[in-house]
């Protein structure tokens, strides 16, 4: 393996930039994961549980509006609209804080892994009161758990209220439960299916439809409400034991610990090791990764019962991870954040941008590039394949943003001849260096670097 600081910053970090030096070696990448999380403290995003009072207020306002007379309804509508506007601004502020973290961080591998696991455990705020809460879910369930065992991350994400609502688990009741006898709700298999297919064993994993059904019955009791977030409801749980992948769980009084145990067992399954290993290799290295790289990560994962630090170390130590030819296309958020970092814009300045500027400069361009922040089309998250992101409209938007945004974000643009070398190092081709230096203006030269194939891929 030949370590290259520029490759490390581009492939495993949030990009190069004049304000933060690249990592010195692979150990620095790993050490950064356990370093103090200064970015979370500098650019705060509220935890999900901190939003519960606002969610209760929003739900209460919805009910008041529904019960209001025609005379009073306009006033209730106005209050509801004001709450929606406040929620949208909070979401935009969270996006600005996330970009600021990517721009300022000395530990880019951490930010990349947070994004990777947030996508692995995708949620979308389906109910109006939850539409702005996905960043808080990531802050609460994902970010604190990316360096421990995978089972701990799984247990933090799967029963989280955002996941339970997104996959309709909070409405699922066991067919033989007391709740089923008193109402019309029935069993919902969404969460069980996605846990097996997406979160653990993988679509080709060794499970059957019966395993999905049994796991769905075991999951009954997992629920959420505005008053207190997550709670376990024995009255909704299916009585009796359930058998998943040949192992029996429960059988007595319904217990949350039985659900935690099945998640731990699924996390340690060989199919999960293979699934997680391949996803890491695909995300960081190649859409079609070297089989030996996947095998190496999977072996480290299995040998340590899913220790994530051991899995990351296996990824970084394998020669295939350091191929000099960049193969991964930057997704829109990655592209924008890396460009801003390369320009030397200070994170505090990004975090201070108004919601309107964030909307115009980040949200709308990302949508045009094919990525609505925290709103993928399904629970499988964002596609990794290059062709999904390299559409004519997406490329046109990347070019337009590269021409217009840098002078606004960084009025004192760098010399393009220095910028291209500082940003891409040895990756910059002679043709790109010449073209950037020959540009008529600094803005054109900087844009040429940002829209180059060398920058678009990591």
């Amino acid at each position: 393996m030949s370590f290259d600081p520029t490759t490390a910053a581009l492939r495993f970090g949030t990009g190069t930039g004049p304000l933060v030096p690249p990592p010195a070696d692979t150990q620095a990448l790993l050490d950064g994961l356990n370093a103090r999380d200064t970015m979370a403290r500098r650019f705060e995003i509220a935890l999900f549980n901190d939003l519960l009072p606002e969610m209760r207020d929003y739900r209460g306002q919805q009910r008041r509006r529904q019960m209001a007379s025609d005379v009073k309804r306009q006033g209730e509508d106005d209050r509801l609209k004001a709450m929606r506007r406040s929620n949208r601004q909070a979401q935009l502020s969270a996006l600005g804080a996330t970009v600021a973290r990517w721009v300022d961080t000395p530990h880019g591998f951490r930010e990349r892994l947070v994004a990777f696991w947030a996508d692995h455990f995708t949620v979308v705020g389906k109910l109006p009161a939850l539409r702005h809460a996905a960043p808080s879910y990531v802050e609460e369930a994902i970010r604190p758990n990316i360096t421990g065992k995978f089972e701990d991350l799984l247990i933090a994400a799967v029963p989280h209220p955002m996941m339970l609502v997104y996959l309709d688990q909070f409405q699922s009741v066991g067919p033989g439960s007391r709740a089923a006898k008193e109402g019309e709700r029935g069993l919902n298999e969404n969460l069980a299916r996605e846990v097996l297919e997406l979160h653990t064993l993988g679509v080709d994993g060794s499970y059957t439809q019966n395993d999905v059904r049994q796991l769905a019955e075991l999951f009954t009791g997992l629920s959420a409400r505005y008053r207190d977030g997550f709670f376990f409801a024995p009255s909704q749980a299916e009585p009796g034991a359930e058998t998943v992948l040949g192992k029996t769980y429960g059988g007595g009084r319904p217990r949350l610990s039985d659900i935690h145990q099945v998640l731990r067992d699924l996390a340690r399954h060989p199919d999960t090791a293979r699934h997680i290993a391949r996803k890491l290799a695909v995300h960081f290295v190649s859409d079609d990764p070297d089989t030996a790289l996947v095998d190496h990560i999977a072996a480290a994962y299995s040998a340590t019962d899913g220790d994530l630090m051991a899995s990351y170390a296996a990824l970084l130590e394998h020669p295939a991870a350091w191929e000099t030819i960049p193969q991964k296309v930057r997704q829109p958020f990655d592209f924008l954040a890396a460009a801003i970092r390369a320009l030397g814009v200070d994170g505090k300045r990004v975090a201070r941008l108004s919601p309107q500027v964030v909307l115009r400069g980040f949200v709308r361009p990302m949508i045009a590039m094919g990525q609505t922040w925290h709103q993928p089309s399904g629970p499988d998250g964002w596609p990794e394949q290059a062709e999904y992101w390299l559409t004519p409209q997406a490329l046109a938007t990347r070019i337009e943003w590269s021409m217009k945004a840098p002078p606004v974000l960084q009025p004192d643009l760098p010399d393009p001849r220095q910028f291209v070398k500082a940003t891409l190092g040895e990756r910059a081709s002679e043709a790109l260096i010449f073209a950037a230096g020959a540009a008529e203006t600094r803005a054109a030269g900087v844009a040429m670097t940002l829209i180059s194939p060398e920058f678009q891929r990591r």
Side-chain angles (χ1 to χ4, degrees):
M1 178 186 71
S2 177
F3 179 86
D4 173 52
T6 301
T7 298
L10 296 175
R11 185 168 299 166
F12 300 107
T14 58
T16 55
L19 302 181
V20 185
D25 50 34
T26 55
Q27 190 58 49
L29 287 168
L30 295 170
D31 290 345
L33 300 179
N34 286 319
R36 185 182 179 190
D37 193 352
T38 56
M39 291 299 102
R41 292 171 174 82
R42 187 181 302 173
F43 307 111
E44 292 186 354
I45 295 174
L47 300 179
F48 181 86
N49 279 339
D50 294 336
L51 300 182
L52 286 176
E54 297 176 15
M55 294 176 187
R56 289 194 292 268
D57 290 346
Y58 187 94
R59 181 57 179 156
Q61 183 60 35
Q62 285 181 311
R63 289 173 176 168
R64 286 190 291 273
R65 190 267 177 197
Q66 292 169 353
M67 298 173 63
S69 64
D70 291 341
V71 175
K72 295 183 178 180
R73 186 162 294 172
Q74 182 60 53
E76 300 297 344
D77 279 344
D78 291 342
R79 280 185 279 274
L80 196 58
K81 289 178 182 178
M83 297 176 81
R84 288 174 184 155
R85 185 164 54 251
S86 177
N87 288 344
R88 284 195 297 269
Q89 290 179 344
Q91 188 177 34
L92 292 170
S93 294
L95 173 54
T98 305
V99 174
R101 291 175 178 183
W102 280 52
V103 166
D104 269 12
T105 182
H107 308 303
F109 195 29
R110 171 188 278 147
E111 303 304 327
R112 291 285 306 285
L113 284 167
V114 170
F116 168 80
W117 289 117
D119 189 66
H120 182 80
F121 292 107
T122 286
V123 300
V124 174
K126 287 172 61 173
L127 301 180
L130 300 178
R131 284 189 184 139
H132 68 297
S136 295
Y137 152 80
V138 173
E139 199 73 4
E140 182 172 275
I142 305 299
R143 192 175 187 95
N145 294 295
I146 64 168
T147 58
K149 292 287 187 75
F150 177 69
E151 61 195 55
D152 297 323
L153 177 56
L154 186 68
I155 289 171
V158 169
H160 194 278
M162 286 292 290
M163 186 72 73
L164 300 183
V165 173
Y166 177 47
L167 296 178
D168 302 314
Q169 178 63 36
F170 76 116
Q171 296 180 328
S172 181
V173 299
S177 69
R178 188 169 75 247
K181 296 173 184 177
E182 297 173 352
E184 298 181 356
R185 287 187 296 168
L187 185 70
N188 189 297
E189 297 181 354
N190 287 354
L191 180 63
R193 188 174 305 282
E194 305 310 352
V195 165
L196 292 172
E197 183 174 304
L198 299 179
H199 300 159
T200 60
L201 307 184
V203 67
D204 297 322
S206 52
Y207 62 90
T208 66
Q209 172 56 33
N210 186 59
D211 291 314
V212 174
R213 171 81 183 194
Q214 294 277 294
L215 185 60
E217 291 183 353
L218 186 62
F219 279 170
T220 53
L222 296 176
S223 196
R225 55 193 170 201
Y226 292 115
R227 184 169 68 248
D228 43 18
F230 169 79
F231 72 100
F232 184 70
S235 64
Q236 295 179 199
E238 177 68 7
E242 312 295 341
T243 301
V244 181
L245 300 181
K247 184 173 179 178
T248 300
Y249 302 87
R253 186 177 184 277
R255 298 180 304 174
L256 180 60
S257 59
D258 293 323
I259 295 174
H260 285 177
Q261 187 57 55
V262 74
L263 291 175
R264 293 188 189 281
D265 291 340
L266 289 171
R268 299 183 184 193
H269 195 280
D271 288 353
T272 301
R274 186 76 184 175
H275 180 55
I276 298 302
R278 178 170 175 78
K279 285 202 71 172
L280 282 167
V282 166
H283 182 75
F284 284 99
V285 181
S286 170
D287 291 350
D288 185 21
D290 188 326
T291 301
L293 172 61
V294 176
D295 290 344
H296 188 64
I297 301 170
Y301 181 104
S302 295
T304 58
D305 289 330
D307 183 85
L308 293 177
M309 288 295 292
S311 303
Y312 306 149
L315 165 68
L316 295 175
E317 72 188 9
H318 198 277
W322 298 91
E323 289 290 336
T324 56
I325 300 176
Q327 301 181 55
K328 293 296 301 182
V329 171
R330 293 185 185 275
Q331 294 182 12
F333 177 87
D334 186 352
F335 162 65
L336 295 185
I340 296 169
R341 182 179 172 99
L343 289 167
V345 181
D346 181 77
K348 290 183 179 180
R349 182 159 180 252
V350 174
R352 288 196 299 266
L353 294 175
S354 69
Q356 293 73 23
V357 173
V358 173
L359 180 64
R360 293 194 305 269
F362 300 158
V363 175
R364 289 173 181 167
M366 283 176 59
I367 292 173
M369 295 177 200
Q371 188 174 48
T372 303
W373 195 54
H374 277 306
Q375 288 188 0
S377 59
D380 53 346
W382 296 109
E384 289 283 354
Q385 294 78 14
E387 56 267 23
Y388 181 87
W389 304 108
L390 298 181
T391 65
Q393 177 182 340
L395 288 173
T397 304
R398 292 187 187 219
I399 294 171
E400 182 181 13
W401 189 92
S402 298
M403 293 294 294
K404 293 182 178 180
V408 176
L409 293 167
Q410 179 59 280
D412 186 19
L413 287 175
D415 185 314
R417 292 166 295 185
Q418 298 173 356
F419 180 72
V420 65
K421 293 178 181 179
T423 301
L424 296 171
E426 295 299 320
R427 285 191 178 188
S429 66
E430 291 298 326
L432 175 59
I433 294 172
F434 175 80
E440 293 185 2
T441 65
R442 286 196 172 196
V446 167
M448 201 164 295
T449 298
L450 297 180
I451 64 177
S452 68
E454 293 96 320
F455 188 83
Q456 294 298 319
R457 291 181 181 269
R458 52 173 172 76

